[in-house]
Amino acid sequence: MNLFTEFKGRIADAVAALQAEGALPEGLDLSKIATEPPRDPSHGEIATNAAMVLSKAAGMKPRDIATLLAARLMTLSDVEAAEVAGPGFINLRLAPAFWHDRLRDILRAGTDYGSSTMGGGKPVNVEYVSANPTGPMHVGHGRGAVVGDVLASLLAKAGYAVSREYYVNDAGAQVDVLARSLHLRYREALGEGVGEIPEGLYPGEYLIPVGRALAAEFGDRYAKAVEAEWLETFRLKAVDAMLALIRDDLAALGVRHDVFSSERELVRAGGVQTAFETLSANGLIYEGVLEPPKGMLPDDWEPRPQTLFRATEFGDDVDRPLKKSDGSWTYFASDIAYHYDKYRRGATSMIDVLGADHGGYVKRMVAAVTAITGGKATLDIRLCQMVNLMRDGEPVKMSKRSGNFVTLREVIDDVGRDVVRFIMLTRKNDAHLDFDLKKVTEQSKDNPVFYVQYAHARAHSVLRHAAESLAGIDIGANALAKADLSALTDEAEIALIKQLAAWPRVVEGAAEAHEPHRIAYFLGEVAAAFHSLWNKGRDASELRFLLADRPDVSIARVALVRGMALVVASGLMVLGVTPVEEM
RNA sequence: GUCCCCGUAGCUCAGCAGGAUAGAGCACCGGAUUCCUAAUCCGGGGGUCGUGGGUUCGAAUCCCGCCGGGGACACCA
């Protein structure tokens, strides 16, 4: 339970009680009341703006309302003090026993702590990666993969019914190019000298083994054949092989999807036609000629009639073409169909995680989803900025032309999957990210992955020692939840519990805002608090976790250490990072 | 030319549905190691939140203009 939400309810109750007494007028809007941690910890643990937001409607001064409310809140059992401050804030201080109980909550819930019912089982569809099946994944894809995967886990933890989806663009011109590239490798495998791979085809070596496999399967049957005879076959083979490659990369990263949707199958099943007719039936399709974009006229611009979707009616800048001049569908058309398909499969809330180069695509897609679902579904597009791969401060050279770039797989093999996943979330998704292959494996506090992992490992080190020094005493989480925790009185100890107790609120906030990076930041803060507490025990030996002559104090502190480890583990599990117990 | 993102300490960035004296790390300076992992911690200096208006009890946060950086801009996906 998010304790801030809980206290919001208690404040609402207090307002109702005051209304019943006639001290406050009826009919107040309580929805703007917020409960949050005060910025300055010396102000207490929970602050509310209730008096200020009710002031106008109640026709009373904020501080007068605050005084009334504070007196009422003071009577609650967990509240040690309710103070009116500043323009009309009410600051609540909670009793130590309240925080001890929160630690018990953590110990009882284990790594499930932080799970929320906020989502109420509402379906959310998260689409991520969706890299074109034309080669192995690069590091930029990896960022989208991690952001999407963790966002999905986060939403699941917040109580949504999450579907994780990959859209396979296996129908476009790029796939034809891939098939031609493969045909070349196939001929090469048959012993033909093909020389340099021509401009415009995929030069990557990853097609070589696929070419060999086809040579083994078909012999020279397609070597001299005209394209029409082999294109379809090679397209299928190529896509299958590339998709296998990508799935392999995803598995190495620990990223999984529930559904792989094929564009090709969608088109073949008439999905695009269906979507088109739906829009058409609502009068949202017309034949027209677009104005050239101002300020940058393409060389080959010519006015031409196109089949257009009225995107401008839904907030886009211009109407968008759905058909090419040869009558075939545009990519946008099939993407509308795809999102419509997701909607018809039950998704009323959709999230797409895309690369930042798709920025220009956001408005039209959001417009299309609004249009085709009649406003019954929402689409949120999260754009991931570029990843700058570095090594010890120097940019890693990458040449896309030669196909000689650093693949995601190479990076995973180099620094490990946990490191890749964590680092990808050390910036918000729309900010550039420097990924330094050397720094991320350093064992120092400058490395956020290590810093958090180390806190968890240190905690388990204490638990291992405790198992010996408290031999015969059950220090499992369930036993500790029942232990006497009254020895936890130090300010830093209580402060750590407060931070741990914020976890459910962090989960809800991050899930609602679709911002998985907040989890990584939260874990960094918990780790910092723990390292700090640890070092307090160096300066003052009576603050060490394990005291030889005070088993009662030791047990209470072991409970805190275990609670911390559980919250960190809970967070790392959302990130898909293994919590290590020893380093 | 239009649209989107960004502009917070010397550097890299947080800032949670506008809230009380704007935070962290790095770097810099000064400290802590007979002791649960010093792989860490503690203290110090450092800011007109790009800029000019507006909205209100209150703005880094919302709205508008400008400046600076990045990205995207018809039948490519």
Side-chain angles (χ1 to χ4, degrees):
Chain A
M1 178 65 176
N2 178 341
L3 66 96
F4 293 93
T5 312
E6 187 184 324
F7 268 87
K8 199 150 123 185
R10 296 204 201 178
I11 288 163
D13 292 344
V15 170
L18 288 169
Q19 286 175 318
E21 288 173 9
L24 286 177
E26 298 293 330
L28 296 175
D29 174 18
L30 305 186
S31 67
K32 297 200 83 173
I33 293 179
T35 50
E36 53 189 14
R39 203 158 265 172
D40 184 344
S42 72
H43 289 150
E45 287 91 37
I46 295 181
T48 180
N49 61 356
M52 290 179 288
V53 298
L54 297 178
S55 158
K56 194 173 273 181
M60 296 167 65
K61 288 182 189 161
R63 288 194 65 105
D64 292 345
I65 300 178
T67 308
L68 286 173
L69 258 179
R72 175 68 60 167
L73 293 169
M74 196 91 83
T75 63
L76 296 174
S77 58
D78 296 319
V79 175
E80 206 165 61
E83 293 149 7
V84 179
F89 286 101
I90 301 169
N91 294 322
L92 302 180
R93 273 172 222 286
L94 305 176
F98 175 83
W99 297 110
H100 296 157
D101 286 344
R102 298 294 73 74
L103 178 54
R104 290 180 212 286
D105 293 346
I106 295 167
L107 292 163
R108 270 192 291 265
T111 51
D112 282 339
Y113 189 66
S115 298
S116 166
T117 56
M118 181 180 80
K122 193 183 153 212
V124 179
N125 183 296
V126 187
E127 181 203 331
Y128 52 104
V129 188
S130 298
N132 287 335
T134 54
M137 293 173 69
H138 59 245
V139 180
H141 291 131
R143 185 174 189 184
V146 172
V147 168
D149 195 53
V150 174
L151 178 54
S153 300
L154 176 61
L155 289 166
K157 194 168 179 72
Y160 293 89
V162 180
S163 178
R164 302 151 178 262
E165 198 148 330
Y166 187 124
Y167 185 43
V168 185
N169 297 127
D170 51 4
Q174 288 196 18
V175 183
D176 290 344
V177 174
L178 181 73
R180 291 186 193 108
S181 310
L182 177 56
H183 189 255
L184 214 59
R185 293 298 190 185
Y186 158 74
R187 282 162 47 204
E188 187 179 51
L190 290 169
E192 202 176 316
V194 296
E196 191 122 321
I197 305 295
E199 181 89 33
L201 293 185
Y202 293 102
E205 294 179 356
Y206 49 84
L207 284 173
I208 295 174
V210 188
R212 281 205 201 103
L214 290 191
E217 185 178 349
F218 297 126
D220 62 0
R221 197 166 127 200
Y222 295 120
K224 298 275 189 303
V226 294
E227 186 174 291
E229 279 180 48
W230 52 260
L231 187 65
E232 180 67 14
T233 304
F234 275 59
R235 208 158 44 188
L236 287 175
K237 294 284 184 187
V239 168
D240 278 357
M242 294 305 102
L243 215 49
L245 211 60
I246 289 169
R247 293 177 93 132
D248 222 42
D249 289 348
L250 289 173
L253 193 54
V255 169
R256 63 175 189 85
H257 291 84
D258 300 314
V259 180
F260 279 74
S261 279
S262 157
E263 179 186 7
R264 192 186 145 78
E265 281 169 28
L266 183 71
V267 172
R268 203 160 45 186
V272 186
Q273 189 62 36
T274 305
F276 181 79
E277 283 162 10
T278 305
L279 288 173
S280 203
N282 289 310
L284 298 173
I285 305 290
Y286 69 102
E287 298 291 323
V289 180
L290 290 176
E291 297 284 311
K294 294 191 175 60
M296 75 145 278
L297 190 66
D299 300 337
D300 57 345
W301 172 267
E302 57 182 56
R304 57 178 160 245
Q306 291 173 305
T307 303
L308 300 168
F309 159 58
R310 294 189 191 279
T312 46
E313 285 190 18
F314 301 89
D316 200 357
D317 307 311
V318 289
D319 292 336
R320 305 289 180 176
L322 297 185
K323 282 184 182 174
K324 303 179 197 169
S325 48
D326 66 0
S328 64
W329 300 114
T330 61
Y331 175 80
F332 180 48
S334 79
D335 216 6
I336 293 175
Y338 172 51
H339 283 80
Y340 189 44
D341 184 55
K342 287 198 259 192
Y343 170 68
R344 299 213 293 177
R345 282 185 277 124
T348 48
S349 173
M350 304 178 217
I351 301 172
D352 293 357
V353 178
L354 304 175
D357 54 339
H358 290 71
Y361 200 66
V362 172
K363 276 192 181 181
R364 80 186 69 169
M365 202 60 240
V366 171
V369 166
T370 307
I372 202 161
T373 67
K376 291 196 188 71
T378 59
L379 171 65
D380 181 25
I381 298 185
R382 312 303 295 179
L383 298 176
C384 289
Q385 265 296 351
M386 292 182 29
V387 176
N388 302 317
L389 209 52
M390 325 266 282
R391 193 184 294 278
D392 213 12
E394 296 297 317
V396 173
K397 290 252 193 302
M398 287 207 248
S399 156
K400 214 183 255 175
R401 258 205 81 256
S402 63
N404 180 27
F405 52 87
V406 179
T407 63
L408 175 64
R409 189 51 174 271
E410 285 164 345
V411 174
I412 296 171
D413 290 345
D414 187 358
V415 303
R417 147 189 157 180
D418 285 342
V419 168
V420 174
R421 293 187 66 112
F422 196 102
I423 292 295
M424 290 300 186
L425 294 165
T426 51
R427 292 280 178 275
K428 51 186 172 193
N429 57 283
D430 53 5
H432 286 264
L433 171 67
D434 287 339
F435 192 124
D436 194 309
L437 292 166
K438 182 149 182 290
K439 285 185 183 157
V440 299
T441 51
E442 278 172 8
Q443 301 203 331
S444 83
K445 62 177 172 160
D446 305 346
N447 176 1
V449 196
F450 172 78
Y451 189 77
V452 171
Q453 289 279 30
Y454 184 41
H456 188 263
R458 262 187 158 176
H460 276 271
S461 168
V462 173
L463 295 176
R464 285 190 294 273
H465 279 90
E468 289 177 24
S469 62
L470 296 170
I473 298 174
D474 186 354
I475 54 165
N478 284 321
L480 290 171
K482 296 185 196 112
D484 178 6
L485 301 179
S486 56
L488 296 175
T489 53
D490 188 80
E491 211 175 317
E493 292 171 337
I494 299 295
L496 178 57
I497 299 177
K498 288 175 191 170
Q499 266 187 289
L500 301 179
W503 175 227
R505 182 173 190 266
V506 171
V507 169
E508 291 182 354
E512 193 164 25
H514 299 168
E515 291 188 351
H517 74 278
R518 289 191 199 177
I519 307 303
Y521 277 90
F522 170 78
L523 291 176
E525 285 163 16
V526 169
F530 181 70
H531 287 310
S532 172
L533 191 59
W534 178 290
N535 274 72
K536 275 199 154 194
R538 290 184 177 285
D539 303 335
S541 59
E542 71 275 11
L543 286 176
R544 292 163 65 83
F545 298 123
L546 302 174
L547 303 176
D549 53 341
R550 294 293 304 275
D552 55 328
V553 175
S554 301
I555 289 169
R557 289 182 181 167
V558 166
L560 177 56
V561 170
R562 195 179 277 288
M564 192 288 306
L566 285 169
V567 170
V568 169
S570 174
L572 288 175
M573 284 163 67
V574 173
L575 303 188
V577 174
T578 319
V580 298
E581 299 188 357
E582 253 177 297
M583 304 189 82

